[in-house]
Amino acid sequence: PPHWVQHEIGIGRAINGMAVPAPKLVDAIEIDGRRGIIYERVDGPTMLRLVNSKPWLAARLARQLAELHTQIHQQRGVGLAPLRPSLRDTIQGVDALAPDLKAGVLALLDRLPDDDALCHFDFHPDQVILTVRGPVIIDWMTAFRGHPLADVARTVVILMVGQVPQAGRAMRALINLWRGLFGRTYLSRYLALHPGATQTDVRTWMIPVAAGRLKEEIEGEREPL
């Protein structure tokens, strides 16, 4: 829908004004009645592709992912929508949760702290392109301003249960081989960079984040979520 395109343009412009490595939004166009966005071309493998081809690099890449996430969270999410109300609305629309469980999750969400940090909210190894000039973070459509640990919890949930589209059996086996080590190393490095945050804080945020992800109805994720 046109408003989705306009929403992404607004986010792209906001992100381009921040100190994060992201593709530059070049222009908005219309061709044969269809709207589109032109971004700077970015060449290189994604972090996911690299770790699958060279799994011995998993720990180093996981630490790099945590350091990039820290760089994101050092920015204020000026001009972006707040995360908490959006997550609350998403959870309310999840049919897979029993009413009493949904009410408990929403009550927990209301008790959690808030913030105005930049949050990507879909940050994982397939969103980082490794270029000759350094890593570039893509796909900011889900960016919000909110608490950084909500963003970290979302990444941990994705690393635990995320399904890779169109991945064959061999690819899935490779991913399952390294994802546990990758997730633990990522979280350990992030918490080392943020001494005030704890694993308990992240696990608590994982509850509403996992509940919200149920709304996406991704094949293979419902049971683990």
Side-chain angles (χ1 to χ4, degrees):
H3 69 274
W4 282 14
V5 179
Q6 196 59 44
H7 177 68
E8 183 167 346
I9 290 170
I11 290 177
R13 287 174 176 160
I15 297 302
N16 285 170
M18 302 179 191
V20 291
K24 297 298 181 185
L25 191 151
V26 178
D27 199 6
I29 60 171
E30 186 170 317
I31 299 175
D32 296 333
R34 301 181 65 187
R35 300 191 70 199
I37 306 171
I38 300 175
Y39 284 97
E40 168 194 10
R41 184 180 180 91
V42 179
D43 290 309
T46 66
M47 185 179 285
L48 177 65
R49 182 175 294 275
L50 184 59
V51 76
N52 277 330
S53 62
K54 299 179 179 181
W56 58 88
L57 296 178
R60 179 172 71 80
L61 293 172
R63 289 190 290 269
Q64 184 180 30
L65 192 75
E67 290 157 8
L68 286 170
H69 220 171
T70 293
Q71 187 175 349
I72 290 173
H73 294 155
Q74 288 171 344
Q75 307 300 308
R76 301 297 94 193
V78 179
L80 300 177
L83 174 57
R84 189 202 296 270
S86 176
L87 183 55
R88 167 172 266 280
D89 289 346
T90 299
I91 295 170
Q92 287 178 329
V94 175
D95 296 330
L97 290 174
D100 58 338
L101 182 56
K102 184 184 294 186
V105 171
L106 291 171
L108 172 63
L109 177 61
D110 289 342
R111 294 196 301 270
L112 288 170
D114 207 354
D115 204 334
D116 65 349
L118 171 62
C119 297
H120 186 288
F121 214 58
D122 197 26
F123 190 64
H124 54 77
D126 212 27
Q127 303 285 42
V128 179
I129 296 178
L130 301 169
T131 78
V132 294
R133 60 184 174 89
V136 176
I137 304 164
I138 63 170
D139 198 8
W140 291 87
M141 184 67 176
T142 55
F144 291 97
R145 55 181 168 87
H147 200 285
L149 293 188
D151 205 19
V152 171
R154 169 84 173 182
T155 294
V156 173
V157 167
I158 292 171
L159 290 173
M160 288 175 62
V161 307
Q163 306 295 306
V164 179
Q166 301 176 340
R169 183 176 298 177
M171 177 70 79
R172 290 184 189 277
L174 272 175
I175 291 169
N176 289 332
L177 184 67
W178 60 254
R179 77 158 80 210
L181 169 66
F182 193 99
R184 291 190 299 272
T185 305
Y186 155 81
L187 184 56
S188 176
R189 178 59 178 156
Y190 186 91
L191 293 177
L193 294 170
H194 300 80
T198 68
Q199 288 201 23
T200 300
D201 296 331
V202 176
R203 289 194 195 102
T204 305
W205 268 109
M206 285 170 66
I207 296 170
V209 166
R213 189 167 174 88
L214 282 168
K215 180 68 174 175
E216 299 175 44
E217 298 182 347
I218 300 172
E219 184 178 356
E221 287 194 8
R222 179 169 173 169
E223 187 67 24
L225 285 172

